[in-house]
Amino acid sequence: MKLTEETVDKMAELAKLEFNSEEKATLLGDMNKILSFMEKLNALDTEGVEPLIYMTDEINALRKDEVVQTLTHDEALKNAPKKDSDYFRVPKVLERG
Amino acid sequence: MKFEDKYEIVIGLEVHAQLQTLSKAFSADSTEFGASPNTCVSVITLGHPGTLPKLNEKVVELAVKLGLATNCQIREVNRFARKNYFYADLPKGYQISQFDTPICYDGYITIKDDAGNAKNIRLERIHLEEDAGKSIHDQDPFDSLIDLNRAGVALVEMVSRPDISSSQEAGLYLTEIRKLVRYLDVCDGNMEEGSLRCDANISVRLKGATELGTKVEVKNMNSIRNVQRAIEFEFQRQCNCLETGETIYQETRNFDAVSGETRSMRSKEMAHDYRYFPEPDLPPLIVSEAYIDKIKSELPELPEALFQKFVKQYGLPEYDAYWITEDKATVAYFLQIIKHTEDYKAAANWMMGKIRSYLNEKGLSIEKFPLGGEKIGELIALVKSGKVSNTVASENIFPALLENPIKSAAVLAEEKNLIQQSDESALSAWVDQVIAKFPEKVAEYKGGKVGLIGMFMGEVMKISGGKADPKVTTRLLKEKLDA
């Protein structure tokens, strides 16, 4: 399978990222490489093999409905690139139009 | 020709209900409503690297409860899935949801119109997911403000089949859901505060057509009335499009409560691509038969069952039964009264009459009503024994009880000298007095205006201070007037 620039545009849109045409070309090359690398796996016969989702056999890992507050407000905001005394601040994210 | 004659509307509703848990779906931070911004958060909610979600057991319990109450199948093997999208109020970049294994499926909710006609609205699924945070766009010219208190709060999404065929049915369906989630203590059902939210999938087609029309999703309706308004608007808009040959786009539209119109959100018409995949951080959830049976045994009596019982067993009119079963607290109070009386209709009358107007006047809910059900039982018994009239009970003793809730109704009636006079000689004297006072009216009565009996009765009541036994008095009046 070969990726096209359209796919790169779509992935960028979904990830809310913007690239110039040079960057796109690099990305397209990289993504195609990754895909062809993964395609090697297609050589394996996976007929009847259940997809592996979980790394353990654990089931029903549940907790009681109890409140444990482990972070303070200041700690929560500490790593934010932009904030005020109450909120995280991000560039306006209104839908365009 | 009216659109209604030519076209029909097809509606499916998606209802999100915030589950009434103390902590969030996958982390232990609080779900408290109205807390200061970004105080009810944790490293899991904030999507910090290396953190692992862990499922709240209460979330499972509430979802299974709701599923059982809506006639759903409950799924044994549940997996969670990641729904991927980028938005600032979703720090992880994905919402944990359920994709191909909704915990409840294939159920239905019965709605009833005013005439009592029942219709089943099928539920395709109820699945578990987490809420996103809140973005505030109108406080700052350049930035959006993000509050993540709500991020991670447990939700169920209830998806109906496209079985709803009018705004009226949509209203009934939502009212029924709100009633149910409140009965079950699954969700507080508050649409204004957003703990119950509704999106509508709406399409229009020629009557009798078998294919569905292009569906439009309408969002942002924060009351049942607004859902109905949006549906009514869309019906007109889409019919207009069909009539004029305009294309109906499959899109998401926002409802504007001020104008009553829906508007296209005009986001690029690229279909959303959520790239669902299994959430490897949460192991599968197995819901056993035994667990389901346990929840089933703990389910409270549901409104429909109570309604049937009140009508069939207690002989209440349907209107009364419906009114009482509107919410759980009202039912609880009714049940409290009828522990102390077998006159179910009288109990209903008290609740729908004096008690309701007292609560309305004071702006109280039934939980805050100061009298216990036994007091209303005493009032009913007092009237039944013939010691006081219904009027005296409601106009004199009921207010006295509210002032003095410790005393019994009977004691208050004695103290206030309100016990009905049924002694014939005393009543006779009053009747004679009234007849003597209105000779002209007596003549009119004898001339055939028998309706005047009411006026004589009123006069006797006046003299007696409301204590005259109405039955005996009527008999005496008739005897004397007809003599």
Side-chain angles (χ1 to χ4, degrees), chain B residues 112 183 303-326 330-335 337-338 341-352 380:
Chain B
K112 246 191 248 168
Y183 254 81
E304 180 58 24
L306 285 165
F307 175 86
Q308 294 299 344
K309 181 160 130 191
F310 290 174
V311 172
K312 292 195 178 126
Q313 228 169 298
Y314 296 174
L316 288 185
E318 290 197 357
Y319 177 85
D320 298 28
Y322 188 78
W323 189 86
I324 293 168
T325 53
E326 272 292 271
T330 307
V331 171
Y333 194 79
F334 177 74
L335 295 176
I337 301 179
I338 63 169
T341 179
E342 276 174 19
D343 193 339
Y344 307 117
K345 178 59 183 148
N349 287 346
W350 276 97
M351 291 196 67
M352 303 194 319
I380 294 170

Side-chain angles (χ1 to χ4, degrees), chain B residues 323 351-366 369:
Chain B
W323 189 86
M351 291 196 67
M352 303 194 319
K354 285 309 273 188
I355 296 176
R356 167 157 61 167
S357 40
Y358 173 83
L359 295 173
N360 284 346
E361 196 182 304
K362 303 269 172 191
L364 293 176
S365 62
I366 185 83
F369 185 61

Side-chain angles (χ1 to χ4, degrees), chain B residues 88-375:
Chain B
D89 57 19
L90 188 74
K92 293 194 299 296
Y94 57 84
Q95 177 191 28
I96 302 178
S97 181
Q98 288 188 300
F99 183 55
D100 52 0
T101 62
I103 184 160
C104 315
Y105 58 99
D106 287 350
Y108 63 87
I109 289 176
T110 307
I111 58 171
K112 246 191 248 168
D113 66 14
D114 289 345
N117 302 312
K119 175 174 174 181
N120 286 347
I121 307 296
R122 289 170 303 158
L123 275 177
E124 182 184 322
R125 57 190 280 154
I126 302 176
H127 65 255
L128 294 170
E129 59 186 31
E130 57 177 340
D131 211 340
K134 202 169 73 182
S135 317
I136 304 163
H137 304 297
D138 56 2
Q139 304 240 319
D140 185 277
F142 308 109
D143 291 340
S144 288
L145 310 182
I146 308 292
D147 175 9
L148 295 174
N149 282 351
R150 206 182 59 187
V153 168
L155 299 176
V156 283
E157 178 172 346
M158 311 173 73
V159 182
S160 86
R161 301 261 177 201
D163 289 350
I164 298 165
S165 28
S166 66
S167 63
Q168 186 214 6
E169 285 185 9
L172 292 170
Y173 174 76
L174 289 172
T175 306
E176 200 56 39
I177 288 190
R178 189 172 59 184
K179 189 155 87 173
L180 262 183
V181 294
R182 285 180 172 164
Y183 254 81
L184 297 167
D185 290 321
V186 159
C187 166
D188 69 21
N190 189 327
M191 286 190 81
E192 285 72 24
E193 284 175 8
S195 32
L196 196 68
R197 306 195 280 267
C198 175
D199 301 335
N201 289 307
I202 304 168
S203 66
V204 162
R205 64 180 171 191
L206 280 174
K207 271 196 175 160
T210 45
E211 298 266 308
L212 289 171
T214 306
K215 100 183 157 185
V216 170
E217 185 178 12
V218 183
K219 291 182 179 285
N220 194 33
M221 300 156 294
N222 67 348
S223 69
I224 293 179
R225 183 68 206 120
N226 281 344
V227 172
Q228 294 182 307
R229 288 171 69 204
I231 288 169
E232 282 150 22
F233 177 83
E234 271 302 304
F235 179 68
Q236 296 298 325
R237 187 186 73 84
Q238 293 185 26
C239 287
N240 260 319
C241 287
L242 292 175
E243 285 289 303
T244 57
E246 231 177 284
T247 315
I248 296 171
Y249 293 101
Q250 180 164 349
E251 60 178 353
T252 304
R253 296 175 73 89
N254 241 333
F255 178 70
D256 178 347
V258 178
S259 67
E261 297 177 352
T262 68
R263 275 195 221 112
S264 175
M265 289 168 75
R266 291 230 186 282
S267 53
K268 281 187 196 151
E269 277 317 313
M270 184 171 59
H272 286 291
D273 184 354
Y274 292 125
R275 295 152 295 160
Y276 281 98
F277 66 87
E279 163 62 285
D281 286 349
L282 286 161
L285 167 73
I286 311 294
V287 182
S288 69
E289 246 350 282
Y291 180 82
I292 296 170
D293 287 343
K294 179 175 160 274
I295 302 288
K296 212 180 260 174
S297 70
E298 291 166 2
L299 275 186
E301 262 187 296
L302 295 175
E304 180 58 24
L306 285 165
F307 175 86
Q308 294 299 344
K309 181 160 130 191
F310 290 174
V311 172
K312 292 195 178 126
Q313 228 169 298
Y314 296 174
L316 288 185
E318 290 197 357
Y319 177 85
D320 298 28
Y322 188 78
W323 189 86
I324 293 168
T325 53
E326 272 292 271
D327 74 278
K328 202 167 67 171
T330 307
V331 171
Y333 194 79
F334 177 74
L335 295 176
Q336 240 192 72
I337 301 179
I338 63 169
K339 265 190 214 153
H340 305 277
T341 179
E342 276 174 19
D343 193 339
Y344 307 117
K345 178 59 183 148
N349 287 346
W350 276 97
M351 291 196 67
M352 303 194 319
K354 285 309 273 188
I355 296 176
R356 167 157 61 167
S357 40
Y358 173 83
L359 295 173
N360 284 346
E361 196 182 304
K362 303 269 172 191
L364 293 176
S365 62
I366 185 83
E367 290 100 323
K368 300 274 164 57
F369 185 61
L371 299 179
E374 76 282 0
K375 294 288 166 194

